């Protein structure tokens, strides 16, 4: 069962088209120790190293509007057990 959580994004995210998208991301902390999500700049599906470094997938629904830095976004935590 996938559980969607919410955290603010570090960087702006572009709007989304007709398909739901999953952006590979890393949970990081801001200067005050609060968790945030940083999407990897290159989302090319052929980049295995980016996926291996990811510990979260940002869920961008179809027709999602652009998200400004600090906006809460839905994500799925990747369990690396």
């Amino acid at each position: 069962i996938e559980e969607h959580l919410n955290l603010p994004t570090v960087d702006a995210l572009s709007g989304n088209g007709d398909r739901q998208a999953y952006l590979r991301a890393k949970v990081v902390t801001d200067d005050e120790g609060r968790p945030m999500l940083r999407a990897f700049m290159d989302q090319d599906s052929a980049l295995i190293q980016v996926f291996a470094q990811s510990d979260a997938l940002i869920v961008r629904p179809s027709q999602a509007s652009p998200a400004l830095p600090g906006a809460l976004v839905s994500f799925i935590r990747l369990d690396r057990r």
Side-chain angles (χ1 to χ4, degrees):
I1 298 173
E2 72 182 38
E3 179 183 3
H4 289 231
L5 306 167
N6 294 296
L7 278 177
T9 181
V10 173
D11 302 304
L13 300 175
S14 60
N16 199 25
D18 291 334
R19 295 175 55 187
Q20 181 164 293
Y22 295 87
L23 305 178
R24 290 169 293 282
K26 185 90 174 152
V27 177
V28 297
T29 54
D30 68 9
D31 293 339
E32 296 178 16
R34 295 178 295 219
M36 299 183 80
L37 290 167
R38 180 180 302 277
F40 285 92
M41 297 301 284
D42 195 343
Q43 293 290 322
D44 187 325
S45 62
L47 297 175
I48 302 301
Q49 184 176 3
V50 171
F51 185 72
Q53 294 172 351
S54 302
D55 58 8
L57 295 173
I58 296 173
V59 181
R60 297 292 286 154
S62 63
Q63 302 301 323
S65 299
L68 296 174
L72 284 179
V73 293
S74 179
F75 76 100
I76 300 167
R77 185 77 179 204
L78 297 177
D79 187 359
R80 298 295 188 180
R81 285 187 246 168

